[in-house]
């Protein structure tokens, strides 16, 4: 079973993958699996009715919108990076998190490299199948490199303009307290 | 001028440490060049013909004197004592050593400069009208919005791996000095009929192999919604732009393939789904940014300066400089001074460390510490008192910066071409120098008037040749350098792509052909017509005939 890096409650840990991908031409084994979007649309209900949980692999050219109605029952959406330069999955992840409020796992698979860890986390990914053998520690280090961010995304980080506003309010309160 | 606060500074410091780590890993052999390349490119470090080149961002073309001095310091310490201003108002250093690159970047960061996002398939440095805050033509200060875009686009997690690079320009004057319509997104600030401020949003402009002029998808976007609208455009592009062919990956191709209307429809649909309250800057942040661009403490002055008038009467060189290189300022008694980096015989856009220091000193003494960079590879002192113009002119002249040729035939844009660039077919710089030499007589140049010549060493069009009144493109013919001429292009508000004049010419014929084109213009022109106007009225034929028929 391959290794995953998982982000749970703000911590990166290595974990065994409980959702192996099953190709379209393979029979589904017992237990939880991930299948292609096409297969999910054709056989998803049947596969799930066998008592297993079924995740979906969405290719970078496929639209996560196609899953909109199924999302409440989907435990994992894996988004593929055929090349690290192919940045479509960042948009897909944000749409899943911010538009559909998806709370399951969003997993990065494919050409997943540690230097991409920060944008992935910010766009809402919380599981990573690194292609470069990175450890959870290395992953966390890359994600932690920047003390500030400038824009709101799918993570909980506060953008610079909010930090500034909060700082200004603290100052204002302090000044009021000193009767200024 | 915008001042970095503790947050902006910490961000740059974090960037420097990140890059240092990456270079160390590369030098220690822990990363291959293939793995390292995208990382160095995200920090503006290119590998060129002879050495690494470092491209430093000059956000919206605005430099403080301190930043200019910092550039001079980096030029002296890590390069050969000079730098090069580009058509995207950035500065390039052409002789950087990989081992020293992190130190160079750390040095830049001390004055709030960086090289982030000056390369790679991300949102690049946003450019703005170099006369912002100084011209009476504008309806608002475009730098406020350019700074908002700078922050929003910095390490934007969703848009760091776009199909291709992405360039935004912003102007607030009817006269476009940013070439907005040649950008992936061009923004033009306007007042609506009800007096409200809004952006005309143009998308899909771009030069390179297939030139397109930007198309309007929104006539009047309320200013406060700028960032969420940009987010909608970028998301549509990120998801649907082509990724199978680098030459077809720019947004211009997507817009052309979908059609402007369908593209606009998709953007509007996405925009409707975006929660603006999460993306757009709150009023207090906009007000904070705006505060940095408050007008400096201008003096109350008479409209006519006696000092200047007397000096001008004595000194024809000053009079010429004032005619060509200065422009009306919004405040009485002040002028905007253009500083040409196109001295005859020099490389367009090049500037020595000494000249940078002089510019910084002049800015401090005479222009509230401000300098601007133009996309035509020149500099601007935005707020000079007429009273001080004689002194400024003398100081510029002393270091070869007083060339009185703004917008004239020798104010040429040229890319580095085969002298530096690994993609070039032909040299561009010597062609620019040939032409400048041919038209060295300033009276003749002034008589010819506005004429924009733009030269690229290959079809990537870094020198904007498609939108030159006369465009010159280097091509390779069986290993020899040839030049294809185009006529009638414009990068301004009347943007247009030029038309090919005829078969490419050998290097030795180019300056002569330009001379022949100019002669046709001088013969044909009617009152007040620029070269471009005469071409538009008279058409290609008389010009073509002069170059190809009369010559033989
Ligand atoms: C010397 C190394 C350089 C290399 C290898 C290089 C490479 C390229 C390439 C490949 C493109 C085409 C991109 C496309 O069409 O998608 C391009 C476009 C461009 N380059 Fe450069 N460039 C270099 C230097 C410069 C310099 C010095 C300038 C400024 C004087 C510049 C300004 C531009 C501009 C404005 C464009 C955009 C044209 C457009 O809108 O499509 N480049 N460059
Ligand atoms: S136009 Fe071509 S030759 Fe000139 S800098 Fe760009 S890539 Fe190089």
């Amino acid at each position: 079973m391959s290794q995953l890096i998982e982000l749970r409650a703000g911590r990166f840990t290595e974990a065994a993958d409980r959702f192996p991908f099953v190709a379209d031409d393979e029979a589904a084994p017992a237990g939880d699996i991930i299948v292609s979007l096409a297969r999910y649309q054709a056989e998803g209900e049947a596969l799930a009715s066998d008592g297993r949980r079924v995740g979906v692999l969405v290719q970078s050219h496929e639209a996560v919108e196609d899953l909109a109605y199924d999302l409440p029952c989907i435990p994992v959406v894996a988004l593929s990076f055929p090349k690290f330069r192919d940045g479509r999955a960042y948009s897909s992840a944000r749409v899943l998190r911010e538009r559909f409020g998806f709370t399951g796992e969003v997993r990065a698979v494919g050409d997943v490299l540690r230097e991409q860890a920060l944008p992935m986390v910010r766009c809402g990914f919380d599981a990573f199948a690194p292609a470069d053998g990175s450890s959870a520690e290395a992953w966390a280090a890359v994600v932690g490199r920047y003390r500030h961010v400038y824009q709101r995304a799918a993570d909980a980080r506060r953008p610079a303009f909010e930090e500034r506003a909060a700082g200004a309010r603290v100052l204002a309160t302090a000044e009021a307290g000193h009767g200024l | 001028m915008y001042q970095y606060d503790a947050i902006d500074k910490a961000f740059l410091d974090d960037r420097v440490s990140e890059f240092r780590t990456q270079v160390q890993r590369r030098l220690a052999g822990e990363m291959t060049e293939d793995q390292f390349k995208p990382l160095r490119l995200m920090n503006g470090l290119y590998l060129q013909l002879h050495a690494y080149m470092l491209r430093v961002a000059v956000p919206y073309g605005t430099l403080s004197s301190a930043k200019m001095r910092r550039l001079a310091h980096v030029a002296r310490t890590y390069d050969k004592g000079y730098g090069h201003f580009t058509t995207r108002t950035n500065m390039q250093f052409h002789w950087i050593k990989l081992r020293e690159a992190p130190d160079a970047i750390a040095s830049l960061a001390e004055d709030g400069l960086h090289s982030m996002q000056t390369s790679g398939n991300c949102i690049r440095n946003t450019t703005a009208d170099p006369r912002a805050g100084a011209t009476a033509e504008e309806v608002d200060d475009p730098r406020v919005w350019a700074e908002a875009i700078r922050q929003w686009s910095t390490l934007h997690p969703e848009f760091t791996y776009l199909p291709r690079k992405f360039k935004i320009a912003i102007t607030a004057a009817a006269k476009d000095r940013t070439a907005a319509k040649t950008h992936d997104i061009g923004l033009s600030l306007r007042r609506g009929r009800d007096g409200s401020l809004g952006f005309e949003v143009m998308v899909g402009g771009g030069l390179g192999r297939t030139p397109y002029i930007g198309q309007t998808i929104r006539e009047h976007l309320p200013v406060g919604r700028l960032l969420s609208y940009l987010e909608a455009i970028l998301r549509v592009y990120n998801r649907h732009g082509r990724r199978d062919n680098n030459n077809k990956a720019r947004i211009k191709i997507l817009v052309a393939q979908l059609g402007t209307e369908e593209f606009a429809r998709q953007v509007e649909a996405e925009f409707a789904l975006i929660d603006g309250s999460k993306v757009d800057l709150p009023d207090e942040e906009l007000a904070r940014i705006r505060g940095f661009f408050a007008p400096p403490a201008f003096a109350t002055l008479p409209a006519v300066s006696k000092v200047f008038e007397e000096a001008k009467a004595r000194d024809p060189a000053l009079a010429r400089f004032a005619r060509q290189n200065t422009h009306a300022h919004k405040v009485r008694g002040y002028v905007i001074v253009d500083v040409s980096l196109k001295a005859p015989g020099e490389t367009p856009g090049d500037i020595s460390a000494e000249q940078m220091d002089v510019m910084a000193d002049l800015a401090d003494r005479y222009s509230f510490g401000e300098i601007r960079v133009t996309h035509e590879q020149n500099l601007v002192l935005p707020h000079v008192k007429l009273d001080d113009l004689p002194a400024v002119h003398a100081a510029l002249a002393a270091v070869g910066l007083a060339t009185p040729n703004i917008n004239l035939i020798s104010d040429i844009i040229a890319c580095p071409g085969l002298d530096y660039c690994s993609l070039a077919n032909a040299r561009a710089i010597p062609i620019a120098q040939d032409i400048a030499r041919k038209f060295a007589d300033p009276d003749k140049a002034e008589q010819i008037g506005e004429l924009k010549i733009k030269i690229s060493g290959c079809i990537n069009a870094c020198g904007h040749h498609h939108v030159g009144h006369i465009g010159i493109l280097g091509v390779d013919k069986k290993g020899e350098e040839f030049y294809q001429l185009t006529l009638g292009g414009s990068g301004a508000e009347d943007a247009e792509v030029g038309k090919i004049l005829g078969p490419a010419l050998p290097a030795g014929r180019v300056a002569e052909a330009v001379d022949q084109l100019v002669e046709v213009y001088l013969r044909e022109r009617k009152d007040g017509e620029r070269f471009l106007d005469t071409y538009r009225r008279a058409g290609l034929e008389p010009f073509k005939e002069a170059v190809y028929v009369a010559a033989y």
Side-chain angles (χ1 to χ4, degrees), chain A residues 18 44 71 79 82 85 90 96 104 106 112 133 135 142 144 149 157 177:
Chain A
R18 287 163 294 109
L71 284 174
L79 298 174
R85 283 187 199 82
Y90 296 107
L96 280 175
V106 178
V112 174
S135 64
V142 173
V149 297
R157 292 189 71 170

Side-chain angles (χ1 to χ4, degrees), chain B residues 118-141:
Chain B
T118 58
S119 173
N121 295 337
C122 54
I123 302 169
R124 305 287 188 88
N125 180 29
T126 294
T127 51
D129 188 347
R131 296 189 196 163
T135 175
E137 295 167 17
E138 67 193 12
V139 298
D140 189 22
D141 194 322

Side-chain angles (χ1 to χ4, degrees), chain A residues 91 99 116 146 150 152, chain B residues 8 18 158 161 270 278:
Chain A
S91 290
R99 187 156 302 160
Q116 276 70 49
Y146 289 88
Y150 279 110
R152 220 184 256 107
Chain B
D8 297 304
E18 175 182 56
E158 186 179 346
Y161 296 92
E270 183 63 41
K278 296 222 168 102

Side-chain angles (χ1 to χ4, degrees), chain B residues 400-413:
Chain B
L401 285 176
T403 314
N405 66 346
I406 295 299
N407 282 334
L408 299 183
I409 190 163
S410 56
D411 184 7
I412 299 171
I413 293 182

